[in-house]
């Protein structure tokens, strides 16, 4: 509808009415001597009514008036101000851009042709209409299940909501924001801390406004440290003394050299710096990296003085290797040499025939099911059978899934003593793959009758459904 200046509209309406009245008066003067001349009869007022209302518009219609050639309309606001108006040959008018939940008045006029002096402008017909009120969406009700490094948030669908906007902060830090069209959200790899989560329902329909924010508070704990792999190797203390020892690699990126000076219960704990040097964590002397670590023997009250710094191209400690082979060293003042641990896989002695057999399983993981993280533990037997000289089939690993899960194939790297499981389906829906990406393989370490799985996950449609996985198979 074309909007015009209100003064122009009213002037136009009055001018039209004036012309018709003047024409009628002139005719009356010229024929006043004729007693039988007809008296001017104004048009009937249009009978208008409201037929539709939204939060921002009103639609009025009126009955057609006999002899009317057009109609004038005028929209009046709740404060009496003129807001809109114009003329039309139709019998309806639509007003848009209005305020919600507000009552307006419309005046409708009928106009006759100027050439019809016996007809005048009708009286105004007034009718009211009220816009609809904007309805706020219902506030979602949040359900939160927080785990180790994860949080699963879910809610019931809100009627008329198109999406949900969320944000969260940990320990008052920088907010993280996002939106989703689903009714659940899984947050992974969260840092430990106290979280505040906000969610509001959003609609694209102007008839609805966003809901109030729902809020939930929860605590995320650090992911429990679990063993990723372990190796057996040889220690050389830098003074000509050697012995066998075991090193454990943990899921949080730290390492433990068990009984590091061949005394049970006294370990060396460390993690790696970006340059490959060691940061020992169970040291005594505060002037790191000039440190003392307890060894449990009779020399220097059981303490060993180490130095682990890096200066330019000089490395006084360094780590290089993976679960199959490698070494690390650090400078020892006790021997004025380098304390070193070296390990390697059993190499070509590992064959498919060594690996096949029946294993007892210790398989724990968190699995996303029914909008919640569920803890699973599988202790059933697993069978490893030979496919060919480089490939085995593992059956029963995903026993908790429907039908016991499908058997999976793994390829042996005899030189490293490892099995590699490429991404593959373990049932109708889920794909077994690495923890970081659904295109990553899963590495399994073979050592003395034990198969230790690296971190794995179950993937569907690009999303992880398993977390905090830990799997060890022990040959019977």
């Amino acid at each position: 509808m074309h909007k015009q200046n209100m003064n122009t509209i009213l002037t136009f309406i009055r001018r039209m009415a004036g012309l018709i009245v003047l024409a009628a008066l002139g005719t009356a003067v010229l024929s006043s001597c004729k007693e039988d001349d007809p008296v001017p009869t104004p048009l009937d007022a249009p009978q208008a009514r409201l037929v539709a209302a939204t939060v921002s518009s009103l639609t009025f219609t009126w009955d057609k008036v006999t002899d009317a050639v057009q109609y004038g309309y005028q929209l009046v606001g709740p404060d009496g101000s003129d807001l809109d108006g114009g003329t039309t040959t139709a019998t309806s008018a639509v007003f848009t851009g209005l305020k919600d939940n507000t009552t307006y008045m419309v005046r409708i006029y009928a106009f006759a042709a100027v050439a019809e002096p016996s007809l005048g402008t009708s009286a105004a017909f007034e009718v009211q209409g009220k816009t609809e009120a904007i309805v706020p969406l219902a506030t979602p009700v949040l359900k939160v299940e927080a785990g180790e490094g994860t949080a699963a948030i879910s809610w019931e669908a809100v009627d008329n909501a198109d999406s949900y906007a969320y944000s969260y902060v940990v320990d008052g830090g920088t907010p993280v924001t996002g939106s989703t069209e689903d009714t659940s959200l899984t947050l992974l790899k969260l840092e430990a801390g106290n979280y505040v989560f906000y969610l509001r329902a959003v609609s694209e329909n102007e008839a609805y406004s966003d809901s109030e924010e729902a809020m939930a508070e929860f605590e995320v704990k650090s992911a429990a440290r679990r063993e990723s792999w372990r190796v057996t190797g040889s220690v050389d203390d830098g003074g000509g003394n050697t012995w066998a020892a075991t090193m454990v690699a943990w899921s949080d990126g730290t390492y433990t050299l068990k009984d590091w000076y061949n005394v049970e219960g006294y370990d060396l704990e460390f993690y790696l710096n970006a340059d490959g040097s060691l940061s020992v964590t169970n040291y005594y002397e505060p002037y790191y990296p000039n440190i003392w670590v307890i060894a449990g023997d009779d020399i220097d009250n059981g303490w060993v003085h180490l130095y682990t710094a890096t200066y330019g191209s000089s490395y006084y400690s360094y780590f290089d290797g993976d679960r199959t082979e490698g070494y690390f060293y650090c400078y020892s003042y006790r021997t004025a040499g380098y304390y070193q641990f070296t390990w390697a896989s059993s190499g070509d002695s590992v064959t498919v025939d060594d690996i096949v057999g029946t294993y007892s399983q210790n398989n724990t993981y968190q699995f996303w099911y029914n909008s919640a993280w569920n803890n699973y533990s599988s202790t059933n037997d697993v069978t490893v059978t030979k496919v060919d000289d480089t490939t085995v089939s593992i059956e029963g690993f995903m026993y908790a899934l429907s039908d016991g899960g499908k058997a999976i194939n793994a390829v042996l790297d005899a030189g490293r003593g490892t099995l590699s499981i490429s991404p593959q389906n373990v049932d109708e829906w889920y794909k077994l793959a690495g923890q970081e990406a659904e295109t990553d393989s899963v590495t399994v370490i073979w050592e003395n009758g034990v198969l230790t799985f690296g971190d794995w996950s179950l993937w569907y449609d690009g999303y992880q459904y398993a977390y905090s996985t830990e799997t060890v198979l022990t040959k019977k």
Side-chain angles (χ1 to χ4, degrees):
M1 177 182 63
H2 181 67
K3 293 187 176 181
Q4 304 177 30
N5 181 276
M6 287 298 101
N7 291 330
T8 302
I9 294 169
L10 294 177
T11 300
F12 172 79
I13 293 172
R14 294 186 184 110
R15 184 175 298 167
M16 288 293 296
L19 287 173
I20 294 171
V21 171
L22 286 174
L25 288 174
T27 302
V29 169
L30 292 174
S31 58
S32 59
C33 60
K34 299 180 179 179
E35 296 180 358
D36 57 349
D37 286 344
V39 177
T41 303
L43 297 177
D44 293 334
Q47 300 299 301
R49 55 198 169 275
L50 176 70
V51 293
T54 71
V55 296
S56 63
S57 69
L58 294 172
T59 301
F60 296 88
T61 64
W62 52 89
D63 298 332
K64 188 174 181 180
V65 175
T66 302
D67 296 324
V69 295
Q70 62 179 350
Y71 304 91
Y73 54 83
Q74 179 184 1
L75 178 69
V76 180
D79 60 354
S81 61
D82 295 325
L83 301 178
D84 198 357
T87 59
T88 181
T89 57
T91 57
S92 64
V94 180
F95 301 94
T96 60
L98 308 180
K99 294 182 180 179
D100 70 290
N101 198 30
T102 302
T103 300
Y104 296 86
M105 183 182 70
V106 171
R107 297 190 181 102
I108 308 295
Y109 304 85
F111 297 140
V114 177
E116 292 291 340
S118 62
L119 302 176
T121 300
S122 75
F125 184 91
E126 295 183 349
V127 60
Q128 288 187 332
K130 186 176 183 180
T131 53
E132 296 286 340
I134 295 177
V135 179
L137 295 176
T139 303
V141 178
L142 298 177
K143 177 184 177 182
V144 179
E145 292 190 13
E148 297 175 350
T150 67
I153 302 119
S154 59
W155 56 93
E156 294 294 330
V158 174
D159 290 342
N160 301 302
D162 295 304
S163 61
Y164 304 89
Y166 66 85
S167 66
Y168 61 88
V169 296
V170 53
D171 295 330
T174 303
V176 177
T177 62
S179 64
T180 179
E181 295 180 1
D182 298 327
T183 56
S184 63
L185 185 67
T186 304
L187 307 176
L188 300 175
K189 297 184 179 179
L190 298 177
E191 62 180 290
N194 295 309
Y195 284 73
V196 183
F197 182 88
Y198 302 92
L199 182 87
R200 57 185 170 85
V202 178
S203 176
E204 296 176 5
N205 189 330
E206 67 172 357
Y208 301 96
S209 61
D210 293 356
S211 72
E212 294 185 0
E213 280 191 323
M215 183 189 75
E217 297 179 303
F218 56 90
E219 179 183 3
V220 171
K221 296 180 179 180
S222 298
R225 191 175 79 157
R226 61 189 186 281
E227 182 176 324
S228 294
W229 48 273
R230 66 172 55 204
V231 293
T232 299
S234 177
V235 167
D236 183 335
D237 72 347
N241 301 306
T242 62
W243 57 87
T246 297
M247 185 179 70
V248 179
W250 301 98
S251 59
D252 63 356
T254 61
Y255 297 84
T256 300
L257 183 62
K258 307 287 290 183
D259 308 334
W260 78 297
Y261 249 87
N262 209 22
V263 180
E264 185 175 357
Y266 293 88
D267 305 332
L268 181 70
E269 301 272 359
F270 62 92
Y271 64 89
L272 304 183
N273 299 311
D275 60 4
S277 63
L278 276 61
S279 280
V280 178
T281 57
N282 60 331
Y283 64 88
Y284 169 72
E285 176 63 48
Y287 299 108
Y288 192 83
N290 210 345
I291 59 177
W292 292 83
V293 182
I294 190 71
D297 57 16
D298 296 328
I299 303 175
D300 293 332
N301 294 319
W303 293 90
V304 180
H305 189 190
L306 301 176
Y307 191 66
T308 61
T310 299
Y311 290 110
S313 60
S314 298
Y315 282 75
Y316 293 92
S317 68
Y318 192 73
F319 183 106
D320 183 28
D322 54 26
R323 64 183 69 198
T324 60
E325 60 184 341
Y327 66 92
F328 76 79
Y329 63 79
C330 53
Y331 184 79
S332 170
Y333 286 102
R334 175 184 280 194
T335 61
Y338 284 89
Y339 177 98
Q340 180 169 281
F341 175 71
T342 306
W343 69 96
S345 67
S346 53
D348 293 334
S349 62
V350 179
T351 68
V352 165
D353 293 331
D354 294 326
I355 296 174
V356 298
T358 301
Y359 292 75
S360 59
Q361 176 172 212
N362 183 4
N363 186 14
T364 60
Y365 55 98
Q366 290 183 314
F367 185 63
W368 181 254
Y369 181 71
N370 280 346
S371 301
W373 284 108
N374 298 273
N375 293 317
Y376 281 81
S377 179
S378 300
T379 56
N380 59 290
D381 283 351
V382 172
T383 302
V384 179
T385 58
K386 181 176 181 178
V387 176
D388 54 41
D389 288 340
T390 60
T391 309
V392 298
S393 176
I394 303 173
E395 186 173 2
F397 164 57
M398 294 307 303
Y399 183 79
L401 295 179
S402 60
D403 300 324
K406 295 180 179 179
I408 55 177
N409 287 337
V411 177
L412 174 66
D413 183 337
R416 291 179 173 270
T418 63
L419 294 171
S420 178
I421 302 174
S422 61
Q424 54 194 279
N425 284 355
V426 290
D427 75 350
E428 181 180 0
W429 304 104
Y430 300 107
K431 178 191 293 183
L432 173 69
Q435 185 68 242
E436 298 299 324
E438 63 177 323
T439 55
D440 289 347
S441 297
V442 179
T443 300
V444 184
I445 299 297
W446 161 267
E447 187 174 11
N448 299 324
V450 177
L451 291 173
T452 303
F453 283 59
D455 290 339
W456 54 269
S457 187
L458 295 177
W459 295 80
Y460 175 72
D461 196 26
Y463 293 93
Q464 288 177 300
Y465 283 80
Y467 204 67
S468 298
T469 56
E470 184 174 356
T471 306
V472 177
L473 307 182
T474 304
K475 195 171 186 179
K476 287 189 171 183

